[in-house]
Amino acid sequence: MMLKKTEIQALTDVVDRLAAHFPGEPRSVIEDVVAHEHSLLDEGRVRDYIPILVERAAKLRLARQQLFVPGQVEAVTAQ
């Protein structure tokens, strides 16, 4: 599917916002998560809300990943 320039720019903005929200996460990981979430919505016919849905799903996925970082779990249980 060919993406419109506005959708591409909106997804770039999503990556920028998520990078600011998750400063400890490498940008490449955030880009991969956004690309994955976007691919799940690739068949959607109404494209206006795709970036919003992608951002919401990517934010949840990144937050869950931060909760289950092995080093952090060990540090919490050691206290």
Side-chain angles (χ1 to χ4, degrees):
M1 167 171 277
M2 182 69 94
L3 298 178
K4 292 181 183 179
K5 260 188 180 179
T6 55
E7 187 170 337
I8 293 169
Q9 182 58 51
L11 292 171
T12 301
D13 293 344
V14 165
V15 170
D16 291 341
R17 284 191 298 275
L18 290 173
H21 189 76
F22 297 97
E25 202 67 56
R27 188 173 181 90
S28 61
V29 170
I30 294 171
E31 290 170 344
D32 288 346
V33 169
V34 168
H36 173 75
E37 294 298 337
H38 184 257
S39 73
L40 296 175
L41 299 171
D42 202 29
E43 298 298 318
R45 290 187 280 159
V46 179
R47 308 299 304 175
D48 295 339
Y49 301 105
I50 297 295
I52 295 166
L53 297 171
V54 167
E55 183 170 6
R56 182 176 295 157
K59 186 182 279 188
L60 289 171
R61 181 181 297 263
L62 289 164
R64 273 187 264 135
Q65 285 178 357
Q66 285 188 342
L67 287 176
F68 296 108
V69 174
Q72 289 179 347
V73 172
E74 292 170 6
V76 170
T77 56
Q79 294 177 354

